[in-house]
């Protein structure tokens, strides 16, 4: 017999995990589906050492600890959590939707899509020598700070992620240089202030023109000054961290029998987080609406809106706890 759920949450990142918790507060029979082997999404896979500052009540917490705390939060309810299962199709029917994964099918009344940017891949450095150095001296994330202990590091990029990584590496690396093609950084003002107050060497406006391994196993990075036809520089580093952002791929949505409306690879939602398909909601970095801010904190706020809307629309006879204080703490 096909298992049936009230709510199916597709995507086990921070927003999806909090949506599952809030669904549990409403006593909704809920399944949480995550294609990766662990919950946590990009935060856990790419930024476990990153310091996160936008969670209310927490002055600072690293990504790994945040996801650990959310996992513990989920244990308060009898939720069904399935990792390593990619959703391959969603089909509408009279009772709601059939959700198909590579492990089988289930039936659900409503769906919350929380897949963030979908399948993610780093924007690659496309200069001579980059491909050969990738995975060696050239990396695209910092999963373990210990791997950079006492090393000479260059971080390339000008957004929040690049600044975060440079500041994160400063206490453990021998030296850190942040390279950007513009004189101004795109990061949050507070983080830029922290950058300029740190010992991180800022090198602007330069682009990487070529990389090549040295006889000592390091990497020679050849730079070109932006706006100059001839000015170049060289720097020898142990590690080059390229932080040019990630490309998003919602190919999974395109393969579904249901066509979700998208803008710039983002799903359009209403003020109740409902998509153009009745019964399918979406939250997190993968959605767009006027004033949307792509923050973890925003996704946390969208989750209760989506769950409450589902319960009101499909289960009006059920009234779950409206406040977290209604819960009895677990011993």
């Amino acid at each position: 017999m096909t298992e049936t759920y009230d709510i199916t949450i597709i995507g086990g990142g921070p927003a999806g995990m909090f949506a599952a918790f809030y669904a549990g507060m409403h006593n909704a029979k809920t399944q949480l589906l995550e294609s990766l082997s662990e919950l946590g999404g990009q935060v856990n896979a790419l930024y476990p050492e990153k310091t996160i500052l936008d969670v209310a009540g927490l002055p600072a917490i690293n990504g790994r600890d945040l996801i650990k705390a959310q996992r513990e939060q989920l244990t308060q309810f009898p939720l069904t959590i399935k990792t390593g299962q990619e959703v391959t199709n969603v089909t509408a029917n009279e009772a709601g939707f059939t959700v198909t994964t590579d492990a089988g099918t289930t039936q659900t009344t409503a769906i919350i899509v929380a897949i963030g940017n979908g399948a993610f891949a780093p924007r690659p450095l496309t200069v001579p020598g980059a491909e050969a150095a990738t995975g060696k001296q050239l990396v695209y994330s910092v999963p373990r700070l210990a791997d950079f202990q006492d090393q000479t590091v260059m971080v390339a990029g000008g957004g929040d992620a690049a600044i975060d990584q440079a500041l994160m590496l400063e206490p453990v690396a021998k030296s850190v240089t942040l390279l950007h093609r513009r004189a101004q950084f795109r990061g949050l003002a507070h983080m830029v202030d922290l950058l300029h107050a740190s010992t991180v060497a800022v090198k602007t406006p330069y682009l990487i023109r070529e990389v090549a391994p040295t006889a000592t196993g390091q990497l020679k990075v050849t730079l070109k000054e932006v706006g100059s036809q001839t000015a170049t520089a060289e720097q020898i580093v142990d590690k080059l961290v390229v932080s040019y952002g990630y490309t998003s791929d919602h190919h999974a949505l395109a393969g579904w029998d249901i066509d979700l409306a998208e803008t710039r690879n983002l799903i359009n939602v209403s003020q109740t987080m409902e998509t153009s398909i009745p019964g399918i909601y979406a939250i997190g970095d993968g959605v767009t609406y006027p004033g949307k801010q792509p923050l973890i904190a925003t996704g946390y706020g969208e989750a209760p809106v989506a769950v409450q809307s589902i319960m009101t629309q499909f289960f009006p006879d059920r009234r779950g706890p409206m406040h977290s204080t209604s819960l009895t703490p677990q011993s």
Side-chain angles (χ1 to χ4, degrees), residues 187-212:
L188 293 170
H190 175 66
M191 300 308 294
V192 174
D193 289 344
L194 290 179
L195 171 68
H196 290 309
S198 72
T199 62
V200 174
V202 175
K203 196 170 185 66
T204 63
Y206 280 89
L207 286 170
I208 298 174
R209 191 161 80 173
E210 183 179 358
V211 297

Side-chain angles (χ1 to χ4, degrees), residues 59-217:
I61 186 171
N62 71 24
R64 182 180 291 108
D65 289 341
L66 177 65
I67 298 305
K68 179 181 178 183
Q70 286 199 245
R71 286 198 201 101
E72 292 175 359
Q73 189 178 45
L74 291 178
T75 63
Q76 298 179 75
F77 303 107
L79 306 166
T80 299
I81 299 173
K82 303 174 183 177
T83 57
Q85 292 194 23
E86 181 177 356
V87 175
T88 57
N89 201 0
V90 172
T91 305
N93 55 50
E94 292 182 357
F97 305 93
T98 298
V99 179
T100 304
T101 72
D102 44 17
T105 62
T106 53
Q107 176 66 32
T108 189
T109 301
I111 292 172
I112 298 176
V113 178
I115 61 174
N117 292 318
F120 46 88
R123 295 186 186 278
L125 177 65
T126 56
V127 301
E131 186 174 351
T134 298
K136 301 171 186 175
Q137 302 98 334
L138 191 162
V139 296
Y140 290 95
S141 63
V142 183
R144 279 174 28 94
L145 284 175
D147 294 340
F148 297 81
Q149 185 72 45
D150 298 325
Q151 293 197 339
T152 301
V153 182
M154 175 180 285
V155 178
D160 285 315
I163 296 172
D164 288 344
Q165 288 171 329
L167 292 174
M168 184 171 66
L169 289 164
E170 180 193 19
V172 298
K174 181 179 179 180
S175 68
V176 179
T177 299
L178 180 58
L179 178 84
H180 185 35
R181 61 187 176 132
R182 295 190 179 96
Q184 302 296 321
F185 288 92
R186 304 187 308 275
L188 293 170
H190 175 66
M191 300 308 294
V192 174
D193 289 344
L194 290 179
L195 171 68
H196 290 309
S198 72
T199 62
V200 174
V202 175
K203 196 170 185 66
T204 63
Y206 280 89
L207 286 170
I208 298 174
R209 191 161 80 173
E210 183 179 358
V211 297
T214 69
T216 59

Side-chain angles (χ1 to χ4, degrees), residues 11-96:
M17 293 173 75
F18 190 64
F21 165 76
Y22 203 77
M25 289 181 66
H26 281 272
N27 295 326
K29 186 177 180 182
T30 303
Q31 68 170 339
L32 175 59
L33 304 175
E34 169 55 53
S35 61
L36 299 177
S37 60
E38 293 183 78
L39 296 177
Q42 288 193 29
V43 172
N44 191 58
L46 301 176
Y47 307 119
E49 300 275 13
K50 178 180 177 179
T51 299
I52 296 170
L53 302 174
D54 67 330
V55 179
L58 296 174
I61 186 171
N62 71 24
R64 182 180 291 108
D65 289 341
L66 177 65
I67 298 305
K68 179 181 178 183
Q70 286 199 245
R71 286 198 201 101
E72 292 175 359
Q73 189 178 45
L74 291 178
T75 63
Q76 298 179 75
F77 303 107
L79 306 166
T80 299
I81 299 173
K82 303 174 183 177
T83 57
Q85 292 194 23
E86 181 177 356
V87 175
T88 57
N89 201 0
V90 172
T91 305
N93 55 50
E94 292 182 357

